[in-house]
Short mmCIF file of all heavy atoms in Angstrom, two decimals:
data_model
loop_
_atom_site.label_atom_id
_atom_site.label_comp_id
_atom_site.label_asym_id
_atom_site.label_seq_id
_atom_site.Cartn_x
_atom_site.Cartn_y
_atom_site.Cartn_z
N MET A 1 83.94 100.77 86.60
CA MET A 1 83.66 101.24 87.97
C MET A 1 84.09 102.69 88.09
O MET A 1 85.11 103.07 87.58
CB MET A 1 84.41 100.38 88.98
CG MET A 1 84.08 100.75 90.43
SD MET A 1 84.64 99.50 91.60
CE MET A 1 86.38 99.66 91.41
N LYS A 2 83.27 103.46 88.74
CA LYS A 2 83.51 104.86 88.89
C LYS A 2 83.89 105.14 90.36
O LYS A 2 83.27 104.62 91.27
CB LYS A 2 82.30 105.65 88.49
CG LYS A 2 82.62 107.05 88.00
CD LYS A 2 81.73 107.45 86.84
CE LYS A 2 82.09 108.86 86.40
NZ LYS A 2 83.40 108.94 85.72
N ARG A 3 84.93 105.96 90.54
CA ARG A 3 85.33 106.32 91.87
C ARG A 3 85.13 107.82 92.11
O ARG A 3 85.28 108.60 91.18
CB ARG A 3 86.81 105.97 92.08
CG ARG A 3 87.09 104.49 92.04
CD ARG A 3 88.52 104.26 91.84
NE ARG A 3 89.26 104.47 93.06
CZ ARG A 3 90.54 103.98 93.27
NH1 ARG A 3 91.12 103.34 92.33
NH2 ARG A 3 91.14 104.17 94.40
N CYS A 4 84.79 108.13 93.33
CA CYS A 4 84.61 109.55 93.66
C CYS A 4 86.05 110.21 93.79
O CYS A 4 86.93 109.61 94.37
CB CYS A 4 83.82 109.68 94.95
SG CYS A 4 83.52 111.39 95.34
N SER A 5 86.13 111.40 93.26
CA SER A 5 87.40 112.09 93.28
C SER A 5 87.63 112.98 94.52
O SER A 5 88.68 113.55 94.64
CB SER A 5 87.51 112.98 92.01
OG SER A 5 86.44 113.87 91.93
N HIS A 6 86.64 112.99 95.37
CA HIS A 6 86.84 113.83 96.58
C HIS A 6 87.84 113.20 97.51
O HIS A 6 87.71 112.01 97.81
CB HIS A 6 85.48 114.00 97.29
CG HIS A 6 84.60 115.05 96.67
ND1 HIS A 6 84.50 116.29 97.17
CD2 HIS A 6 83.84 114.98 95.53
CE1 HIS A 6 83.64 116.96 96.37
NE2 HIS A 6 83.30 116.18 95.38
N PRO A 7 88.76 113.99 98.00
CA PRO A 7 89.74 113.44 98.97
C PRO A 7 88.99 112.87 100.20
O PRO A 7 88.09 113.50 100.72
CB PRO A 7 90.53 114.69 99.38
CG PRO A 7 90.32 115.65 98.27
CD PRO A 7 88.97 115.41 97.75
N GLY A 8 89.42 111.70 100.57
CA GLY A 8 88.81 111.12 101.76
C GLY A 8 87.53 110.40 101.51
O GLY A 8 87.02 109.75 102.44
N CYS A 9 87.04 110.49 100.32
CA CYS A 9 85.75 109.81 100.02
C CYS A 9 86.05 108.44 99.35
O CYS A 9 86.76 108.39 98.36
CB CYS A 9 84.85 110.64 99.13
SG CYS A 9 83.27 109.86 98.79
N SER A 10 85.54 107.39 99.89
CA SER A 10 85.85 106.06 99.35
C SER A 10 84.72 105.50 98.48
O SER A 10 84.73 104.35 98.14
CB SER A 10 86.12 105.15 100.50
OG SER A 10 85.00 105.08 101.36
N TRP A 11 83.78 106.35 98.13
CA TRP A 11 82.63 105.88 97.35
C TRP A 11 83.09 105.34 95.99
O TRP A 11 83.92 105.92 95.29
CB TRP A 11 81.68 107.05 97.14
CG TRP A 11 80.42 106.59 96.41
CD1 TRP A 11 79.28 106.14 96.95
CD2 TRP A 11 80.21 106.59 94.97
NE1 TRP A 11 78.39 105.85 95.95
CE2 TRP A 11 78.94 106.13 94.76
CE3 TRP A 11 81.03 106.95 93.91
CZ2 TRP A 11 78.41 105.99 93.46
CZ3 TRP A 11 80.49 106.83 92.64
CH2 TRP A 11 79.21 106.34 92.42
N ARG A 12 82.53 104.21 95.62
CA ARG A 12 82.67 103.71 94.29
C ARG A 12 81.34 103.18 93.81
O ARG A 12 80.52 102.70 94.60
CB ARG A 12 83.65 102.52 94.26
CG ARG A 12 85.05 102.95 94.52
CD ARG A 12 85.92 101.73 94.80
NE ARG A 12 87.17 102.17 95.40
CZ ARG A 12 88.33 101.50 95.34
NH1 ARG A 12 88.33 100.34 94.73
NH2 ARG A 12 89.38 101.97 95.90
N SER A 13 81.13 103.27 92.48
CA SER A 13 79.89 102.77 91.93
C SER A 13 79.98 101.28 91.78
O SER A 13 81.04 100.72 91.45
CB SER A 13 79.58 103.42 90.60
OG SER A 13 80.53 102.96 89.63
N ILE A 14 78.88 100.64 91.98
CA ILE A 14 78.76 99.22 91.67
C ILE A 14 77.61 99.12 90.74
O ILE A 14 76.45 99.16 91.17
CB ILE A 14 78.54 98.38 92.91
CG1 ILE A 14 79.67 98.53 93.89
CG2 ILE A 14 78.39 96.86 92.49
CD1 ILE A 14 79.36 97.99 95.27
N ALA A 15 77.87 99.12 89.42
CA ALA A 15 76.79 99.18 88.44
C ALA A 15 77.15 98.32 87.25
O ALA A 15 78.29 98.14 86.94
CB ALA A 15 76.59 100.64 88.04
N PRO A 16 76.14 97.85 86.58
CA PRO A 16 76.36 96.96 85.43
C PRO A 16 76.83 97.67 84.17
O PRO A 16 77.29 97.03 83.28
CB PRO A 16 74.96 96.33 85.21
CG PRO A 16 74.02 97.31 85.77
CD PRO A 16 74.71 97.99 86.91
N SER A 17 76.65 98.95 84.12
CA SER A 17 77.08 99.71 82.92
C SER A 17 77.60 101.06 83.28
O SER A 17 77.39 101.54 84.39
CB SER A 17 75.86 99.85 81.97
OG SER A 17 74.96 100.79 82.51
N GLU A 18 78.35 101.66 82.35
CA GLU A 18 78.90 102.98 82.55
C GLU A 18 77.79 103.99 82.81
O GLU A 18 77.95 104.87 83.69
CB GLU A 18 79.75 103.38 81.34
CG GLU A 18 80.43 104.71 81.49
CD GLU A 18 81.56 104.67 82.52
OE1 GLU A 18 81.90 103.59 82.98
OE2 GLU A 18 82.15 105.76 82.75
N ASP A 19 76.72 103.90 82.08
CA ASP A 19 75.58 104.78 82.26
C ASP A 19 75.01 104.70 83.66
O ASP A 19 74.74 105.72 84.30
CB ASP A 19 74.48 104.50 81.18
CG ASP A 19 74.63 105.42 79.99
OD1 ASP A 19 75.63 106.13 79.92
OD2 ASP A 19 73.74 105.36 79.14
N ALA A 20 74.82 103.48 84.09
CA ALA A 20 74.26 103.28 85.42
C ALA A 20 75.25 103.79 86.50
O ALA A 20 74.86 104.39 87.51
CB ALA A 20 73.99 101.78 85.69
N ALA A 21 76.54 103.58 86.21
CA ALA A 21 77.56 104.08 87.16
C ALA A 21 77.51 105.57 87.23
O ALA A 21 77.61 106.14 88.32
CB ALA A 21 78.92 103.60 86.72
N LEU A 22 77.36 106.23 86.11
CA LEU A 22 77.30 107.68 86.06
C LEU A 22 76.06 108.20 86.82
O LEU A 22 76.18 109.21 87.56
CB LEU A 22 77.20 108.16 84.61
CG LEU A 22 78.52 108.43 83.94
CD1 LEU A 22 78.33 108.78 82.45
CD2 LEU A 22 79.32 109.53 84.62
N ALA A 23 74.97 107.53 86.66
CA ALA A 23 73.75 107.92 87.36
C ALA A 23 73.93 107.77 88.87
O ALA A 23 73.61 108.69 89.63
CB ALA A 23 72.57 107.10 86.88
N GLN A 24 74.60 106.68 89.27
CA GLN A 24 74.84 106.48 90.69
C GLN A 24 75.79 107.57 91.21
O GLN A 24 75.59 108.05 92.30
CB GLN A 24 75.46 105.11 90.91
CG GLN A 24 74.52 103.99 90.85
CD GLN A 24 75.19 102.65 91.20
OE1 GLN A 24 76.41 102.61 91.48
NE2 GLN A 24 74.44 101.58 91.15
N PHE A 25 76.78 107.89 90.38
CA PHE A 25 77.77 108.85 90.81
C PHE A 25 77.12 110.24 90.94
O PHE A 25 77.39 110.97 91.91
CB PHE A 25 78.91 108.90 89.85
CG PHE A 25 80.02 109.83 90.32
CD1 PHE A 25 80.64 109.61 91.50
CD2 PHE A 25 80.41 110.93 89.54
CE1 PHE A 25 81.65 110.47 91.95
CE2 PHE A 25 81.39 111.79 89.97
CZ PHE A 25 82.01 111.53 91.16
N ALA A 26 76.27 110.62 90.00
CA ALA A 26 75.62 111.89 90.08
C ALA A 26 74.75 111.95 91.37
O ALA A 26 74.78 112.98 92.06
CB ALA A 26 74.70 112.11 88.87
N GLU A 27 74.10 110.88 91.68
CA GLU A 27 73.32 110.84 92.89
C GLU A 27 74.21 111.00 94.10
O GLU A 27 73.90 111.71 95.07
CB GLU A 27 72.57 109.51 93.03
CG GLU A 27 71.20 109.60 92.45
CD GLU A 27 70.49 108.23 92.47
OE1 GLU A 27 70.59 107.54 93.53
OE2 GLU A 27 69.89 107.86 91.45
N HIS A 28 75.30 110.31 94.07
CA HIS A 28 76.27 110.40 95.18
C HIS A 28 76.78 111.81 95.37
O HIS A 28 76.83 112.32 96.48
CB HIS A 28 77.44 109.44 94.96
CG HIS A 28 78.60 109.72 95.86
ND1 HIS A 28 78.58 109.41 97.20
CD2 HIS A 28 79.80 110.32 95.60
CE1 HIS A 28 79.74 109.78 97.73
NE2 HIS A 28 80.53 110.37 96.82
N LEU A 29 77.14 112.42 94.27
CA LEU A 29 77.65 113.82 94.27
C LEU A 29 76.63 114.71 94.98
O LEU A 29 76.99 115.55 95.85
CB LEU A 29 77.87 114.36 92.88
CG LEU A 29 79.26 114.16 92.27
CD1 LEU A 29 79.29 114.86 90.89
CD2 LEU A 29 80.34 114.72 93.18
N VAL A 30 75.39 114.55 94.56
CA VAL A 30 74.32 115.45 95.08
C VAL A 30 74.09 115.15 96.56
O VAL A 30 73.95 116.03 97.39
CB VAL A 30 73.05 115.27 94.28
CG1 VAL A 30 71.88 115.97 94.94
CG2 VAL A 30 73.25 115.77 92.87
N GLU A 31 74.06 113.85 96.90
CA GLU A 31 73.78 113.47 98.29
C GLU A 31 74.89 113.80 99.24
O GLU A 31 74.69 114.24 100.35
CB GLU A 31 73.45 111.98 98.38
CG GLU A 31 72.06 111.67 97.93
CD GLU A 31 71.77 110.17 97.82
OE1 GLU A 31 72.64 109.39 98.36
OE2 GLU A 31 70.83 109.78 97.18
N SER A 32 76.17 113.57 98.79
CA SER A 32 77.28 113.64 99.70
C SER A 32 78.13 114.92 99.54
O SER A 32 78.77 115.35 100.48
CB SER A 32 78.15 112.44 99.53
OG SER A 32 77.44 111.26 99.78
N HIS A 33 78.07 115.50 98.35
CA HIS A 33 78.98 116.61 98.11
C HIS A 33 78.24 117.86 97.60
O HIS A 33 78.79 118.63 96.91
CB HIS A 33 80.07 116.21 97.11
CG HIS A 33 80.85 115.04 97.58
ND1 HIS A 33 81.58 115.03 98.73
CD2 HIS A 33 81.03 113.80 97.03
CE1 HIS A 33 82.14 113.82 98.88
NE2 HIS A 33 81.82 113.06 97.88
N SER A 34 77.01 117.95 97.95
CA SER A 34 76.28 119.15 97.58
C SER A 34 75.71 119.73 98.85
O SER A 34 75.65 119.07 99.89
CB SER A 34 75.15 118.86 96.58
OG SER A 34 74.16 118.04 97.21
N LYS A 35 75.29 120.97 98.79
CA LYS A 35 74.75 121.61 99.97
C LYS A 35 73.62 122.52 99.53
O LYS A 35 73.60 123.01 98.39
CB LYS A 35 75.82 122.36 100.76
CG LYS A 35 76.33 123.56 99.99
CD LYS A 35 77.26 124.41 100.84
CE LYS A 35 77.69 125.67 100.08
NZ LYS A 35 78.59 126.50 100.91
N THR A 36 72.79 122.79 100.44
CA THR A 36 71.70 123.73 100.22
C THR A 36 72.05 125.00 100.97
O THR A 36 72.36 124.91 102.15
CB THR A 36 70.35 123.22 100.63
OG1 THR A 36 70.14 121.95 100.02
CG2 THR A 36 69.26 124.17 100.25
N VAL A 37 72.05 126.11 100.32
CA VAL A 37 72.33 127.39 101.00
C VAL A 37 71.06 128.23 101.03
O VAL A 37 70.05 127.87 100.42
CB VAL A 37 73.51 128.14 100.33
CG1 VAL A 37 74.78 127.39 100.52
CG2 VAL A 37 73.21 128.32 98.82
N ASP A 38 71.16 129.38 101.71
CA ASP A 38 69.98 130.19 101.89
C ASP A 38 69.55 130.95 100.64
O ASP A 38 68.39 131.32 100.49
CB ASP A 38 70.24 131.18 102.99
CG ASP A 38 70.26 130.44 104.35
OD1 ASP A 38 69.72 129.35 104.45
OD2 ASP A 38 70.85 131.00 105.29
N VAL A 39 70.51 131.11 99.69
CA VAL A 39 70.14 131.77 98.47
C VAL A 39 69.19 130.92 97.68
O VAL A 39 69.14 129.69 97.88
CB VAL A 39 71.34 132.15 97.60
CG1 VAL A 39 72.26 133.13 98.35
CG2 VAL A 39 72.09 130.88 97.21
N ASP A 40 68.47 131.49 96.77
CA ASP A 40 67.49 130.73 95.98
C ASP A 40 68.23 129.87 94.97
O ASP A 40 68.86 130.35 94.10
CB ASP A 40 66.54 131.69 95.24
CG ASP A 40 65.61 132.35 96.19
OD1 ASP A 40 65.29 131.79 97.24
OD2 ASP A 40 65.17 133.50 95.91
N ILE A 41 68.02 128.60 95.11
CA ILE A 41 68.51 127.64 94.08
C ILE A 41 67.26 127.12 93.42
O ILE A 41 66.43 126.47 94.08
CB ILE A 41 69.35 126.52 94.69
CG1 ILE A 41 70.56 127.12 95.39
CG2 ILE A 41 69.73 125.55 93.62
CD1 ILE A 41 71.43 126.06 96.05
N PRO A 42 67.16 127.38 92.12
CA PRO A 42 65.92 126.95 91.43
C PRO A 42 65.75 125.45 91.50
O PRO A 42 66.71 124.69 91.68
CB PRO A 42 66.22 127.35 89.95
CG PRO A 42 67.28 128.39 90.05
CD PRO A 42 68.12 128.06 91.24
N GLU A 43 64.52 125.07 91.41
CA GLU A 43 64.17 123.60 91.38
C GLU A 43 65.01 122.86 90.36
O GLU A 43 65.17 123.34 89.24
CB GLU A 43 62.66 123.51 91.04
CG GLU A 43 62.11 122.07 91.10
CD GLU A 43 61.73 121.69 92.51
OE1 GLU A 43 61.51 122.59 93.33
OE2 GLU A 43 61.66 120.47 92.80
N GLY A 44 65.54 121.75 90.77
CA GLY A 44 66.30 120.94 89.81
C GLY A 44 67.75 121.36 89.76
O GLY A 44 68.53 120.69 89.03
N MET A 45 68.16 122.41 90.44
CA MET A 45 69.54 122.83 90.41
C MET A 45 70.22 122.25 91.70
O MET A 45 69.60 122.02 92.71
CB MET A 45 69.65 124.34 90.45
CG MET A 45 68.99 125.01 89.29
SD MET A 45 69.89 124.79 87.71
CE MET A 45 71.18 126.07 87.89
N VAL A 46 71.51 122.05 91.57
CA VAL A 46 72.28 121.59 92.71
C VAL A 46 73.52 122.41 92.85
O VAL A 46 73.97 123.06 91.92
CB VAL A 46 72.65 120.09 92.54
CG1 VAL A 46 71.43 119.20 92.45
CG2 VAL A 46 73.53 119.88 91.28
N GLN A 47 74.10 122.33 94.00
CA GLN A 47 75.41 122.95 94.24
C GLN A 47 76.41 121.83 94.43
O GLN A 47 76.20 120.94 95.28
CB GLN A 47 75.36 123.85 95.45
CG GLN A 47 74.69 125.19 95.14
CD GLN A 47 75.34 126.34 95.89
OE1 GLN A 47 75.76 126.24 97.04
NE2 GLN A 47 75.45 127.47 95.20
N ILE A 48 77.46 121.91 93.72
CA ILE A 48 78.49 120.87 93.82
C ILE A 48 79.86 121.51 94.04
O ILE A 48 80.07 122.63 93.65
CB ILE A 48 78.53 119.95 92.61
CG1 ILE A 48 78.83 120.73 91.33
CG2 ILE A 48 77.25 119.19 92.48
CD1 ILE A 48 79.25 119.88 90.14
N LYS A 49 80.70 120.73 94.63
CA LYS A 49 82.10 121.16 94.76
C LYS A 49 82.94 119.96 94.24
O LYS A 49 82.89 118.89 94.78
CB LYS A 49 82.41 121.45 96.22
CG LYS A 49 83.71 122.21 96.38
CD LYS A 49 83.75 122.93 97.69
CE LYS A 49 84.26 122.04 98.80
NZ LYS A 49 84.74 122.79 99.97
N LEU A 50 83.64 120.25 93.13
CA LEU A 50 84.34 119.12 92.49
C LEU A 50 85.65 118.78 93.21
O LEU A 50 86.12 117.67 93.13
CB LEU A 50 84.59 119.47 91.04
CG LEU A 50 83.34 119.55 90.19
CD1 LEU A 50 83.66 120.06 88.79
CD2 LEU A 50 82.65 118.21 90.07
N HIS A 51 86.23 119.79 93.82
CA HIS A 51 87.51 119.51 94.52
C HIS A 51 87.40 120.18 95.92
O HIS A 51 86.70 121.11 96.09
CB HIS A 51 88.65 120.10 93.73
CG HIS A 51 88.76 119.58 92.33
ND1 HIS A 51 89.22 118.34 92.06
CD2 HIS A 51 88.41 120.13 91.18
CE1 HIS A 51 89.17 118.14 90.77
NE2 HIS A 51 88.67 119.18 90.18
N GLU A 52 88.21 119.61 96.76
CA GLU A 52 88.26 120.08 98.14
C GLU A 52 88.48 121.57 98.22
O GLU A 52 87.90 122.31 99.01
CB GLU A 52 89.32 119.33 98.93
CG GLU A 52 89.17 119.43 100.44
CD GLU A 52 87.82 118.88 100.92
OE1 GLU A 52 87.38 117.83 100.39
OE2 GLU A 52 87.20 119.46 101.82
N GLU A 53 89.40 122.05 97.35
CA GLU A 53 89.77 123.48 97.36
C GLU A 53 88.94 124.28 96.41
O GLU A 53 89.14 125.46 96.21
CB GLU A 53 91.26 123.63 96.99
CG GLU A 53 92.18 122.86 97.88
CD GLU A 53 92.18 123.33 99.34
OE1 GLU A 53 92.02 124.53 99.55
OE2 GLU A 53 92.22 122.46 100.23
N GLY A 54 88.06 123.63 95.70
CA GLY A 54 87.27 124.31 94.63
C GLY A 54 86.16 125.20 95.19
O GLY A 54 85.89 125.23 96.39
N GLU A 55 85.51 125.89 94.28
CA GLU A 55 84.40 126.72 94.66
C GLU A 55 83.08 125.93 94.44
O GLU A 55 82.98 125.06 93.61
CB GLU A 55 84.35 127.97 93.80
CG GLU A 55 85.50 128.91 94.05
CD GLU A 55 85.44 130.13 93.16
OE1 GLU A 55 84.41 130.30 92.45
OE2 GLU A 55 86.41 130.89 93.16
N TRP A 56 82.08 126.31 95.20
CA TRP A 56 80.77 125.73 94.99
C TRP A 56 80.21 126.25 93.66
O TRP A 56 80.31 127.43 93.37
CB TRP A 56 79.81 126.13 96.14
CG TRP A 56 80.18 125.39 97.41
CD1 TRP A 56 80.90 125.86 98.42
CD2 TRP A 56 79.84 124.06 97.73
NE1 TRP A 56 80.99 124.92 99.38
CE2 TRP A 56 80.39 123.77 99.02
CE3 TRP A 56 79.08 123.05 97.11
CZ2 TRP A 56 80.20 122.55 99.65
CZ3 TRP A 56 78.91 121.83 97.77
CH2 TRP A 56 79.47 121.59 98.98
N VAL A 57 79.63 125.36 92.92
CA VAL A 57 79.07 125.69 91.63
C VAL A 57 77.58 125.33 91.66
O VAL A 57 77.20 124.21 92.03
CB VAL A 57 79.78 124.92 90.52
CG1 VAL A 57 79.14 125.27 89.14
CG2 VAL A 57 81.27 125.21 90.50
N THR A 58 76.76 126.29 91.29
CA THR A 58 75.35 126.03 91.17
C THR A 58 75.03 125.62 89.74
O THR A 58 75.33 126.36 88.84
CB THR A 58 74.49 127.27 91.54
OG1 THR A 58 74.86 127.66 92.84
CG2 THR A 58 73.00 126.91 91.49
N THR A 59 74.49 124.49 89.58
CA THR A 59 74.31 123.99 88.20
C THR A 59 73.16 122.97 88.17
O THR A 59 72.58 122.67 89.25
CB THR A 59 75.63 123.30 87.67
OG1 THR A 59 75.42 122.97 86.34
CG2 THR A 59 75.97 122.11 88.52
N THR A 60 72.87 122.47 87.00
CA THR A 60 71.82 121.45 86.89
C THR A 60 72.43 120.08 87.22
O THR A 60 73.63 119.88 87.20
CB THR A 60 71.24 121.39 85.49
OG1 THR A 60 72.24 121.05 84.61
CG2 THR A 60 70.58 122.74 85.13
N PHE A 61 71.55 119.18 87.54
CA PHE A 61 71.98 117.80 87.84
C PHE A 61 72.78 117.25 86.65
O PHE A 61 73.87 116.67 86.84
CB PHE A 61 70.71 116.99 88.04
CG PHE A 61 70.99 115.63 88.67
CD1 PHE A 61 71.12 115.51 90.02
CD2 PHE A 61 70.98 114.48 87.86
CE1 PHE A 61 71.34 114.27 90.60
CE2 PHE A 61 71.21 113.26 88.45
CZ PHE A 61 71.40 113.15 89.83
N GLU A 62 72.26 117.46 85.47
CA GLU A 62 72.98 116.93 84.28
C GLU A 62 74.30 117.61 84.08
O GLU A 62 75.30 116.93 83.78
CB GLU A 62 72.09 117.19 83.01
CG GLU A 62 71.11 116.10 82.72
CD GLU A 62 71.77 114.74 82.51
OE1 GLU A 62 72.65 114.67 81.66
OE2 GLU A 62 71.39 113.80 83.20
N GLU A 63 74.32 118.88 84.25
CA GLU A 63 75.59 119.63 84.07
C GLU A 63 76.58 119.22 85.13
O GLU A 63 77.80 119.17 84.84
CB GLU A 63 75.29 121.13 84.09
CG GLU A 63 76.46 122.00 83.61
CD GLU A 63 76.84 121.75 82.17
OE1 GLU A 63 75.98 121.28 81.38
OE2 GLU A 63 78.01 122.03 81.81
N ALA A 64 76.13 118.92 86.29
CA ALA A 64 77.00 118.47 87.40
C ALA A 64 77.76 117.20 86.94
O ALA A 64 78.94 117.03 87.15
CB ALA A 64 76.20 118.20 88.64
N ARG A 65 77.04 116.37 86.30
CA ARG A 65 77.63 115.16 85.74
C ARG A 65 78.70 115.45 84.75
O ARG A 65 79.83 114.92 84.79
CB ARG A 65 76.56 114.31 85.05
CG ARG A 65 76.04 113.17 85.93
CD ARG A 65 74.83 112.52 85.30
NE ARG A 65 75.17 111.72 84.12
CZ ARG A 65 74.35 110.87 83.59
NH1 ARG A 65 73.20 110.64 84.13
NH2 ARG A 65 74.74 110.17 82.50
N LYS A 66 78.38 116.33 83.82
CA LYS A 66 79.34 116.71 82.76
C LYS A 66 80.55 117.36 83.32
O LYS A 66 81.71 117.11 82.95
CB LYS A 66 78.70 117.62 81.71
CG LYS A 66 77.63 116.94 80.86
CD LYS A 66 77.04 117.92 79.90
CE LYS A 66 75.69 117.45 79.36
NZ LYS A 66 74.90 118.57 78.87
N LEU A 67 80.35 118.27 84.25
CA LEU A 67 81.46 118.98 84.90
C LEU A 67 82.38 118.01 85.56
O LEU A 67 83.56 118.13 85.45
CB LEU A 67 80.94 119.99 85.94
CG LEU A 67 80.44 121.33 85.42
CD1 LEU A 67 79.81 122.13 86.59
CD2 LEU A 67 81.61 122.12 84.81
N HIS A 68 81.78 117.11 86.26
CA HIS A 68 82.60 116.16 86.93
C HIS A 68 83.43 115.28 85.94
O HIS A 68 84.62 115.08 86.13
CB HIS A 68 81.77 115.19 87.82
CG HIS A 68 82.62 114.21 88.55
ND1 HIS A 68 82.94 113.01 88.02
CD2 HIS A 68 83.32 114.29 89.71
CE1 HIS A 68 83.75 112.41 88.84
NE2 HIS A 68 84.00 113.14 89.87
N ASP A 69 82.76 114.83 84.91
CA ASP A 69 83.47 114.01 83.91
C ASP A 69 84.64 114.81 83.32
O ASP A 69 85.71 114.24 83.10
CB ASP A 69 82.53 113.65 82.74
CG ASP A 69 81.53 112.60 83.23
OD1 ASP A 69 81.76 112.04 84.31
OD2 ASP A 69 80.57 112.34 82.49
N ARG A 70 84.40 116.10 83.05
CA ARG A 70 85.44 116.93 82.49
C ARG A 70 86.66 117.01 83.44
O ARG A 70 87.79 117.08 82.99
CB ARG A 70 84.85 118.34 82.20
CG ARG A 70 85.40 118.97 80.97
CD ARG A 70 84.67 120.26 80.65
NE ARG A 70 83.24 120.04 80.26
CZ ARG A 70 82.28 120.88 80.55
NH1 ARG A 70 82.51 121.98 81.19
NH2 ARG A 70 81.05 120.63 80.13
N SER A 71 86.34 117.00 84.72
CA SER A 71 87.39 117.15 85.69
C SER A 71 88.34 115.92 85.70
O SER A 71 89.43 115.97 86.21
CB SER A 71 86.87 117.39 87.10
OG SER A 71 86.34 116.18 87.60
N HIS A 72 87.88 114.89 85.05
CA HIS A 72 88.65 113.65 84.95
C HIS A 72 89.46 113.59 83.64
O HIS A 72 90.20 112.67 83.44
CB HIS A 72 87.80 112.42 85.10
CG HIS A 72 87.43 112.14 86.49
ND1 HIS A 72 88.39 111.68 87.44
CD2 HIS A 72 86.28 112.18 87.17
CE1 HIS A 72 87.80 111.50 88.59
NE2 HIS A 72 86.49 111.78 88.50
N ASP A 73 89.19 114.54 82.74
CA ASP A 73 89.83 114.50 81.43
C ASP A 73 91.19 115.12 81.36
O ASP A 73 91.81 115.14 80.38
CB ASP A 73 88.91 115.15 80.38
CG ASP A 73 87.68 114.24 80.12
OD1 ASP A 73 87.73 113.07 80.43
OD2 ASP A 73 86.72 114.80 79.57
N ASP A 74 91.62 115.73 82.46
CA ASP A 74 92.86 116.46 82.41
C ASP A 74 94.02 115.59 82.03
O ASP A 74 94.21 114.51 82.52
CB ASP A 74 93.18 117.06 83.78
CG ASP A 74 92.08 118.06 84.19
OD1 ASP A 74 91.38 118.50 83.27
OD2 ASP A 74 91.99 118.39 85.37
ZN1 LIG B 101 82.26 111.19 97.27
#
């Protein structure tokens, strides 16, 4: 089971496999913790914030997943 690392966010994945959980989590990140700004964000790119105090990062959906996983490896 995968849990969201955002403070105050109680989201958890309910998925049969780690891969499915990751996919759900990536979707959750994009839906709940991403934003669209006025600057041009290319198609397929997302903006994510991995931590409450962190900076917004413009990246691809896939890279967002990797970045998030890395943030759990500390
Ligand atoms: Zn969350």
